[in-house]
Amino acid sequence: AVWVTTQEHKEAYALLFPGIAEKIYVLTNGFDPEDFPEIATVKRNTNQWIAVHPGSLFGERFDTLLMLVWGLIKIDSPILKEKFRIHVYTSSQLLTRKIPRELAEAFDHYVVSKEAISPSEMMSVLATAKFGLTLDISEHHLTIPSKTFDYIGLGIKLILLGPDGAIPNEIKEAGHYVAPINDDSISSLLQKIVAQETGGEPLEKNAHLIKKYGLNNLQQELLRLLPE
């Protein structure tokens, strides 16, 4: 058997290896509720719109961050200037990258570089954040960064910039913020965030995602899919 984490990945493998297509199974990534058992006792900071991104920003992921900053410049929203910040927790040397001159001032305003912390500490940080931020790259159309599922489990809103796919579309339909990586889409997404967050729109459909991508359900799915 061959195990992959998205339907798109299964279809791509089946085209390459048609002889084993029937032996390719999809078991998505997910989250373990025991990783954050005290989430209900944590008070979320609603005064500041902090978007937290844990993990690497090497290569094109950094370019996606720059596109997000460019979108913030384009829409020039007073409320985003006041409230919205991007906290990046990474061991990579974020500030050693050359920032284009036209983005430098906005980058310094919106982006806060922080040292990497332990997974348990990160869960506490995410629990108080307004958004969990996933910065993907266009070529990663077969997989979803695993941190995305922790955001779902924590019940915080996602900002997911990456290629289209079944899971991103499902996340979007649940009320999260999802856009492909291009200027117009990111600008539109930021305008949507302003409109919905100032109106206090809740995450009404996230419970379905929590159930689907929680460890208990994935274990049951694995048992169902295991070849007899």
Side-chain angles (χ1 to χ4, degrees), residues 27-30 212-222:
L27 187 69
T28 68
N29 284 318
K212 180 175 181 178
Y213 295 111
L215 179 61
N216 289 340
N217 186 65
L218 294 178
Q219 287 175 331
Q220 293 300 315
E221 183 68 6
L222 174 60

Side-chain angles (χ1 to χ4, degrees), residues 112-155:
V112 180
S113 179
K114 294 179 173 288
E115 289 297 319
I117 56 178
S118 71
S120 60
E121 290 174 313
M122 178 52 63
M123 289 301 176
S124 297
V125 169
L126 284 167
T128 63
K130 179 75 169 176
F131 305 106
L133 177 61
T134 296
L135 301 172
D136 208 349
I137 64 176
S138 298
E139 288 75 15
H140 286 179
H141 59 280
L142 300 181
T143 58
I144 304 292
S146 59
K147 64 175 72 73
T148 305
F149 299 94
D150 286 330
Y151 304 157
I152 290 171
L154 286 163

Side-chain angles (χ1 to χ4, degrees), residues 153-200:
L154 286 163
I156 60 176
K157 287 191 176 181
L158 278 84
I159 300 175
L160 169 57
L161 305 182
D164 290 331
I167 294 177
N169 289 338
E170 183 181 36
I171 290 170
K172 183 177 181 178
E173 290 172 2
H176 297 279
Y177 299 112
V178 179
I181 305 169
N182 63 68
D183 285 343
D184 290 341
S185 296
I186 292 174
S187 297
S188 296
L189 184 73
L190 290 168
Q191 291 169 337
K192 182 178 180 181
I193 289 172
V194 171
Q196 294 192 354
E197 295 304 318
T198 53

Side-chain angles (χ1 to χ4, degrees), residues 4 11 18 57 62 72 88 117 123 128 177 182 207 221 224:
V4 295
E11 291 169 1
L57 275 174
F62 188 82
L72 290 161
V88 179
I117 56 178
M123 289 301 176
T128 63
Y177 299 112
N182 63 68
E221 183 68 6
R224 186 184 71 81

